[in-house]
Amino acid sequence: MKKKRFLGIGLGAALAAFSLTAPVYASGEANLWIQIDSTNISGLGDYCPLRLSLDLMSNDEDGLLRAVLYYAQTSLLEGNLFLDSNSGNLYASVPELTDTVFSLNLEETLEYLADSVTLEATLGDSEEMEHMDEVLSILEEVDYEALAERYLDACGDEISAMADNMTFSSVSDQYYEYNGESVLCSGAGMVFEKETLVNLATGTADFLVEDEECRGILENIGEMEVTDEDIAAFHDNVSEIFEETLSDVTICVYCTPDYDIAAVTADTAPMDGSFELSLEYADRGGETAGENVEAAFYIKDVDAGENMSAIFSREVTREEGEVTNDISFLIRTGEADGSLDLNLSTSYVEASGEYGVSFRLGAGGEELLTVDADGTVTQEGETLDFTCDHFTWQAEGNIMTLSAALQTGELTSVLQFEGDTSDTLNLLTASSEELEEEGEIMTSSLETVVLKLLLAQAEQ
């Protein structure tokens, strides 16, 4: 009985995935194939080129998914899933392994899955899922405009005090790159006092636990009651934390002669523990906002003279119809090998649909992963054509090169299930003996598939 239960759940999950993937209620078809062209991975390189082809078809009512595994041009193994909307049955066949056609009724299978203890264990603790749904539903019902008004009423004095005590500082003009030119930008500096920042941060924290709606959300998330004693202790703790971690903050804004913001910087005075924080943001212009930017965050240990930094940059270039998008992310620590480098570069030529992708991931000065891909993507009417001519993946000395293609469009192929649906083996009602017999037949048939592979290799 356990074996039948397991098979029912496994194929039921496949059914759910298929019913979600196949456009059963929309006519069309899609073909996807992925091929491993070459690799140095032991045990896999001898079987290249190895290709998996998937055909997905729908005629507004029925759906068919066909999967075929190839070695070069030789078909090794085929599998078919057919969803019959009239009967609500899912039929499956693997011709190379068995003549038997398997079936499942969609409604019966879903009822079986709903009662399955094993499925519940697979999905996780249902109580935790219900709790998360409850929290999300509460957040969706929040009137955020009213919440903002209550916050301004509660912390209005602290906000006003921060603004009233803000002072302006003299800032020297700086050169920044903007729209490809070095531009002298005028700067304005603003200093926010530590005391006003501490009061605002503490007031905000107090609001989160004292406001009735916010307090209810926190209680629901933590599944515990927040008492007045908890609020008092929380106030003392956060006040102490903010007093130790916050300091005066200087914000500088630099503008071009046309009053475009070219850069923003924020710096703190030395905090307890002799740390300084800095944030730098530069906008280098471009056709759209945010396409040429750099953002950096620094933590400086004043005593040790060491910096930890995180730097993000993006640069978009356009030349003769080709758009290139370069993104990099860099983390540096005070350690000699403490670094993480991430670089992503993409290019696209609108006229031809040609694209390129390059990804690099490194740490401690060593390259961990590289990915390079190129191909074309075009769309005409209902038809989408996507090809990946080369996809090369390299990590820890292992290299794999793949190719792939995807085409979607209107249904032009004949949607037909190759198998006898009048005489099938129902996986929910079949006995354990019937399932074991089919398992033995399919296992022994694998020898024929392996022999076909060996013959195809000999012909290469």
Side-chain angles (χ1 to χ4, degrees):
M1 189 64 183
K2 289 184 178 179
K3 180 175 292 186
K4 187 191 299 184
R5 189 179 187 85
F6 174 78
L7 284 171
I9 292 169
L11 286 166
L15 165 62
F18 175 69
S19 61
L20 289 173
T21 304
V24 178
Y25 301 106
S27 177
E29 66 178 294
N31 171 262
L32 168 69
W33 61 262
I34 302 175
Q35 177 170 296
I36 302 177
D37 296 314
S38 62
T39 180
N40 66 349
I41 298 176
S42 177
L44 184 60
D46 294 338
Y47 301 105
C48 295
L50 199 62
R51 176 161 54 100
L52 175 65
S53 176
L54 298 173
D55 290 300
L56 185 63
M57 290 173 275
S58 172
N59 62 2
D60 287 326
E61 296 179 351
D62 303 328
L64 176 68
L65 174 64
R66 176 178 293 115
V68 184
L69 182 65
Y70 293 89
Y71 172 80
Q73 300 302 316
T74 301
S75 173
L76 301 177
L77 190 64
E78 178 181 324
N80 299 278
L81 285 175
F82 176 65
L83 184 59
D84 182 6
S85 61
N86 291 326
S87 65
N89 290 335
L90 177 73
Y91 299 100
S93 68
V94 190
E96 285 81 8
L97 300 185
T98 178
D99 295 330
T100 301
V101 174
F102 304 95
S103 66
L104 284 171
N105 182 269
L106 180 60
E107 184 176 351
E108 293 175 357
T109 302
L110 293 178
E111 291 177 357
Y112 177 80
L113 293 175
D115 297 333
S116 172
V117 177
T118 307
L119 179 64
E120 182 178 323
T122 302
L123 295 176
D125 190 343
S126 60
E127 292 184 1
E128 291 184 3
M129 296 176 66
E130 290 176 2
H131 176 240
M132 182 60 67
D133 289 339
E134 184 179 350
V135 171
L136 292 176
S137 65
I138 292 175
L139 293 176
E140 290 175 356
E141 295 173 0
V142 173
D143 185 343
Y144 289 98
E145 185 175 345
L147 178 63
E149 291 180 359
R150 295 198 304 274
Y151 171 73
L152 292 175
D153 289 340
C155 298
D157 291 342
E158 287 83 353
I159 295 174
S160 297
M162 181 183 69
D164 292 341
N165 288 277
M166 179 192 73
T167 59
F168 290 94
S169 62
S170 177
V171 177
S172 301
D173 294 345
Q174 301 284 344
Y175 279 95
Y176 285 95
E177 181 183 338
Y178 198 82
N179 286 334
E181 298 180 359
S182 180
V183 179
L184 182 62
C185 300
S186 57
M190 298 164 285
V191 180
F192 296 90
E193 295 182 356
K194 171 182 176 177
E195 182 180 355
T196 62
L197 295 174
V198 171
N199 291 339
L200 177 58
T202 303
T204 301
D206 288 342
F207 171 78
L208 292 176
V209 294
E210 292 176 356
D211 179 79
E212 183 176 348
E213 188 171 30
C214 292
R215 184 172 175 175
I217 294 174
L218 293 174
E219 287 179 336
N220 194 286
I221 293 175
E223 296 184 286
M224 59 180 292
E225 182 181 358
V226 178
T227 66
D228 292 338
E229 290 77 10
D230 294 330
I231 293 177
F234 176 77
H235 174 83
D236 294 338
N237 289 334
V238 296
S239 296
E240 183 179 349
I241 291 172
F242 290 141
E243 186 68 36
E244 292 178 353
T245 57
L246 295 179
S247 66
D248 291 349
V249 175
T250 300
I251 297 178
C252 298
V253 180
Y254 296 89
C255 296
T256 68
D258 295 328
Y259 301 103
D260 294 315
I261 295 178
V264 178
T265 66
D267 300 277
T268 67
M271 301 180 296
D272 289 349
S274 298
F275 282 98
E276 294 178 353
L277 304 181
S278 297
L279 176 66
E280 298 177 1
Y281 173 82
D283 187 339
R284 300 191 179 95
E287 291 189 10
T288 59
E291 69 176 23
N292 291 294
V293 297
E294 180 173 293
F297 177 70
Y298 301 94
I299 300 178
K300 182 177 181 180
D301 186 333
V302 178
D303 296 333
E306 295 178 346
N307 286 337
M308 185 180 82
S309 60
I311 303 173
F312 168 85
S313 67
R314 180 188 181 199
E315 181 178 1
V316 176
T317 57
R318 294 176 172 85
E319 185 176 354
E320 296 181 355
E322 181 175 0
V323 180
T324 302
N325 188 356
D326 295 314
I327 296 175
S328 68
F329 182 67
L330 171 66
I331 293 179
R332 288 280 188 268
T333 67
E335 303 293 333
D337 58 350
S339 66
L340 176 68
D341 298 87
L342 185 152
N343 294 277
L344 173 65
S345 178
T346 66
S347 63
Y348 178 70
V349 180
E350 187 173 359
S352 63
E354 296 177 357
Y355 70 88
V357 179
S358 177
F359 175 80
R360 299 289 184 271
L361 176 64
E366 296 183 4
E367 203 165 62
L368 301 179
L369 173 66
T370 67
V371 176
D372 294 286
D374 62 78
T376 59
V377 55
T378 59
Q379 184 168 6
E380 183 176 348
E382 299 268 331
T383 302
L384 170 69
D385 284 291
F386 170 84
T387 65
C388 181
D389 299 326
H390 306 93
F391 181 97
T392 303
W393 165 87
Q394 183 172 351
E396 297 182 349
N398 295 317
I399 303 175
M400 181 181 293
T401 300
L402 302 93
S403 54
L406 169 67
Q407 184 179 65
T408 66
E410 298 179 354
L411 179 63
T412 57
S413 304
V414 178
L415 196 161
Q416 182 176 354
F417 177 70
E418 298 180 3
D420 185 4
T421 58
S422 63
D423 183 18
T424 66
L425 181 64
N426 189 312
L427 291 172
L428 286 182
T429 60
S431 66
S432 59
E433 289 79 9
E434 289 175 311
L435 295 175
E436 288 177 2
E437 181 180 354
E438 281 300 327
E440 292 174 358
I441 292 173
M442 296 174 73
T443 301
S444 62
S445 298
L446 281 174
E447 297 178 0
T448 304
V449 176
V450 173
L451 178 60
K452 189 187 297 186
L453 171 61
L454 295 176
L455 291 174
Q457 284 181 306
E459 294 175 358
Q460 284 290 105

